Amino acid sequence: ISDYLHRFSGKDSSERSQHLIASASGGLAGGLAAMSAQAIVVPMDVISQRQMVMDNAKYLERGDALRIFRDITKKEGIIGLYKGLGLSLFTSLPTGSIWWAAYSGSQNFMRSMIGSRDSEKDWFSNIAVNGIVQVTSGLTAAVFAATLTQPLDVVKTRHQVSTSNSLQKSSYTNVARELYSMNGAKGFFRGTGPRIMSLGLWGTVLSSAYEILRNVSRKDYDTSYYTDFSDQTRIMRRKSNL
């Protein structure tokens, strides 16, 4: 995504455009990753939730995960494994998009500020600088993602509670109206502080592991070797056909 946006913007794009491209590509990739993850996680959540609400006798008799999977697909089809997918995407999609957009933009901005000075530092100093960039980018992303999506998370949580405790299903709009009438705008931001800490810790560990694995697995290949080798292969094939 990043390479495509860079080619689309042209080689002479400004530094500000580079930051915007980093944020946009990070946001798009984060959104796609969140959607892909939910496609795998939601069925596991559905099975886990079925196990949690079973009493002891029923759990001992029919509580095996594979048995529950078979029962769901037999009675409700594959779609039964994706109950609550929309509710999960309601918060995970915007949170993932905003987090990765803020993280990529912040990291790109900080590295552009550091510039070529990295090469002048010793090995230990480079590790320290990279660590500071990682932690700062992760915390910045957590602040943006948690603050901007907290209203969605609060509404989603209250919606889940209301649907489990009442016979009539409440809509997101009704839940939001009730919350605003009872607590005002500040009611939508309850729990923002702990959520920032949670996202900050989770995101920093995740992004650090991602960056380490990316740097460790990266290899610089001499493409000229492969070009020469492919040319030689073509010549040999032509000679063999003569």
Side-chain angles (χ1 to χ4, degrees):
I1 294 174
S2 178
D3 292 340
Y4 176 80
L5 291 176
H6 277 292
R7 287 197 299 268
F8 181 78
S9 64
K11 295 181 179 179
D12 299 328
S13 56
S14 63
E15 185 175 341
R16 184 177 180 182
S17 298
Q18 299 298 320
H19 300 328
L20 292 175
I21 289 172
S23 295
S25 59
L28 288 172
L32 291 172
M35 292 178 64
S36 302
Q38 290 303 313
I40 300 173
V41 170
V42 168
M44 293 189 288
D45 280 344
V46 169
I47 294 173
S48 175
Q49 289 163 2
R50 295 286 180 97
Q51 289 177 319
M52 285 189 284
V53 298
M54 286 180 174
D55 56 37
N56 289 335
K58 192 173 182 181
Y59 179 78
L60 292 174
E61 181 185 356
R62 308 174 63 87
D64 182 71
L66 186 59
R67 180 73 174 271
I68 295 174
F69 173 82
R70 289 173 180 168
D71 289 343
I72 293 174
T73 53
K74 184 178 180 180
K75 296 177 182 177
E76 306 173 40
I78 295 296
I79 196 171
L81 294 170
Y82 288 93
K83 280 186 175 179
L85 176 62
L87 199 61
S88 297
L89 289 175
F90 185 71
T91 54
S92 63
L93 181 58
T95 301
S97 298
I98 294 172
W99 195 95
W100 282 104
Y103 168 78
S104 300
S106 176
Q107 189 184 59
N108 186 271
F109 174 76
M110 292 185 68
R111 293 199 183 282
S112 68
M113 294 292 290
I114 295 171
S116 60
R117 285 176 290 176
D118 268 352
S119 59
E120 301 173 1
K121 298 178 182 292
D122 57 25
W123 181 80
F124 182 79
S125 298
N126 280 330
I127 290 181
V129 169
N130 289 332
I132 293 172
V133 170
Q134 283 298 124
V135 172
T136 305
S137 300
L139 292 177
T140 301
V143 171
F144 274 97
T147 304
L148 293 177
T149 63
Q150 186 65 15
L152 296 177
D153 194 54
V154 171
V155 171
K156 184 203 77 168
T157 302
R158 293 179 72 95
H159 181 271
Q160 288 176 316
V161 174
S162 65
T163 55
S164 62
N165 293 336
S166 59
L167 295 176
Q168 185 177 4
K169 187 175 180 179
S170 301
S171 66
Y172 292 122
T173 307
N174 291 337
V175 172
R177 269 196 211 124
E178 182 183 358
L179 179 61
Y180 183 78
S181 64
M182 292 175 60
N183 303 294
K186 65 180 181 180
F188 290 96
F189 293 93
R190 284 183 173 178
T192 303
R195 191 156 179 256
I196 289 175
M197 294 176 63
S198 175
L199 279 176
L201 180 61
W202 166 82
T204 302
V205 173
L206 174 68
S207 61
S208 298
Y210 163 74
E211 295 292 346
I212 291 171
L213 289 173
R214 187 182 70 167
N215 290 327
V216 168
S217 61
R218 184 175 60 189
K219 293 182 179 179
D220 296 325
Y221 294 101
D222 184 3
T223 56
S224 62
Y225 168 80
Y226 295 98
T227 303
D228 295 340
F229 180 78
S230 61
D231 290 339
Q232 292 174 8
T233 304
R234 286 195 210 99
I235 294 171
M236 291 177 65
R237 285 179 179 173
R238 285 176 186 174
K239 289 182 178 179
S240 62
N241 291 331
L242 293 177

